[in-house]
Amino acid sequence: MKVTIFGSGYVGLVTGACLSEVGNHVLCADVDQHKIDMLKQGEIPIYEPGLDTLVQNGLDSGRLAFTTDMAKAVAHGLFQFIAVGTPPDEDGSADLQHVRAAARTVGQYMQDFRVIINKSTVPVGTADKVRETVTTELAKRGVDIPFDVVSNPEFLKEGAAVEDFMRPDRIVIGTNNLRTTELLRTLYAPFNRNRNRLLEMDVRSAELTKYAANAMLATKISFMNEMANLAECLGADIEKVRIGMGADPRIGYHFIYPGCGYGGSCFPKDVKALAYTAREAGYQAPLLSAVETVNQTQKERLFHKIREHFKGDLSGRTFALWGLAFKPKTDDMREAPSRTLMEALWQAGAQVRAYDPAAMNEAQRLYGERSDLRLCATPEDALTGADALVVVTEWNIFRSPDFEKMTTLLNNPVIFDGRNLYDPGYLARAGFVYYGIGRPARS
Ligand SMILES: NC(=O)c1ccc[n+]([C@@H]2O[C@H](COP(=O)([O-])OP(=O)(O)OC[C@H]3O[C@@H](n4cnc5c(N)ncnc54)[C@H](O)[C@@H]3O)[C@@H](O)[C@H]2O)c1
């Protein structure tokens, strides 16, 4: 089948590469000329395990191509996926300018029936807006060409995006049009083989499903962070509490890890956008506001612990940061807790020596050259001459370090563990002062 995808970011590129891998002819269109030039050469602008091989396969087979030529893009595919960014506006609402632009493009150039698929995370009612936009463009041209708009939100996780797309736990299709459902059922058939994962629903329910799912996940994290903070006040250990809680199958062990706050391109903006949508609909959604507030505070938690330990004086001190990406297996630093922490440390006059297995280029791009940031080649290098280690992202490589060697590299054997990777008792015996999240301080 022929597929066009607007937006070659985390979602668009993975969608395009996976659809071409199973035999479709995919044309990915983006407004970013530099990105398209890189992709045409098989260079992947993001870190995503397994994606480079799929893109190369697609290029080699001629089934995957990239363009900035929008007329060509619209002419190519029966399916026109919109996978552009929907960043937060100043008031927290989802900024739909890129979605509208893509819809306008389709309306400007389409000659035959097209199925327009909203894959971006968009507020309830956006399919109607896309439909209006396309209709307006067709009217301007004085033509009447049939098209349909369907909601097909994406649930992939950065770091496991290819795997998630290839083996989805659900494929949500929001449309009332049976013909469109059948077309999408055919397109998704290769990813829907051992049991039916295709969930058909009306457009609005599909749009809300994506936000509700992300808001639920964010709620789990903020809830656990709130319990961790309470555990600290009460002298309990949240890691013991977590294990006790998760044993209840109604709660379970997934996604109940306390930490230094959630980040990334989705949870923060989606929780805000859903709260905004609720307000617009005349509902206040107090739980969503609390989830967001708890997370903001949690992202400052490590800094407060550091400041307290060093008795308020961080000026001239140096901190080793392990982990810059908002989570492991990605280079994405959008809304990452590492950024809140580094910016607070700099504000307090401290220096940062940072290491991340994937996000070094991204950190360089975001912060450029500055005297208070050293991007280090290895985790050990980051420790050299630092007054403490702060673990911000739970990459595997940080899980079992050589603690003995660390004591020789650090100025002081102090660890602030924002992901509760280490055993406080073991570290105490190894001579470290250890601070976790929601655990009694032991030194
Ligand atoms: N990143 C994730 O893990 C994830 C997961 C599920 C859903 N989503 C949602 O998918 C959408 C895309 O997210 P992303 O992380 O891939 O974004 P991204 O910022 O990585 O990529 C968006 C791309 O769209 C391009 N673009 C903007 N306007 C365009 C236009 N008019 N025509 C063609 N291309 C255009 C940009 O240049 C950019 O390359 C968002 O709504 C996001 O919430 C993201």
Side-chain angles (χ1 to χ4, degrees), residues 6-12 29-32 35 70 83-86 98 101-102 105 119-122 154-158 210 265-266 269-270 332 334:
F6 294 98
S8 302
Y10 288 87
V11 169
D30 203 291
V31 289
D32 185 336
K35 196 178 261 191
M70 296 298 162
V84 298
T86 47
H98 304 301
T105 302
K119 193 161 251 328
S120 297
T121 302
V122 288
E154 181 51 58
F155 295 92
L156 63 75
K157 301 181 286 296
E158 282 177 27
K210 174 65 192 175
S265 69
C266 292
K269 85 172 168 60
D270 291 351
D332 199 340
R334 288 179 277 187

Side-chain angles (χ1 to χ4, degrees), residues 318-323 352-357 360 374-391 396-411 422:
T318 300
F319 294 94
L321 244 74
W322 279 3
V352 172
R353 295 176 66 82
Y355 172 78
D356 186 284
M360 304 298 263
R374 171 72 70 88
L375 295 171
C376 300
T378 64
E380 291 75 25
D381 187 14
L383 298 175
T384 309
D387 291 298
L389 163 66
V390 196
V391 180
N396 278 342
I397 194 177
F398 303 144
R399 285 179 189 269
S400 195
D402 182 343
F403 290 111
E404 214 179 296
K405 188 166 172 206
M406 285 164 68
T407 54
T408 65
L409 297 171
L410 285 164
N411 286 348
Y422 307 132

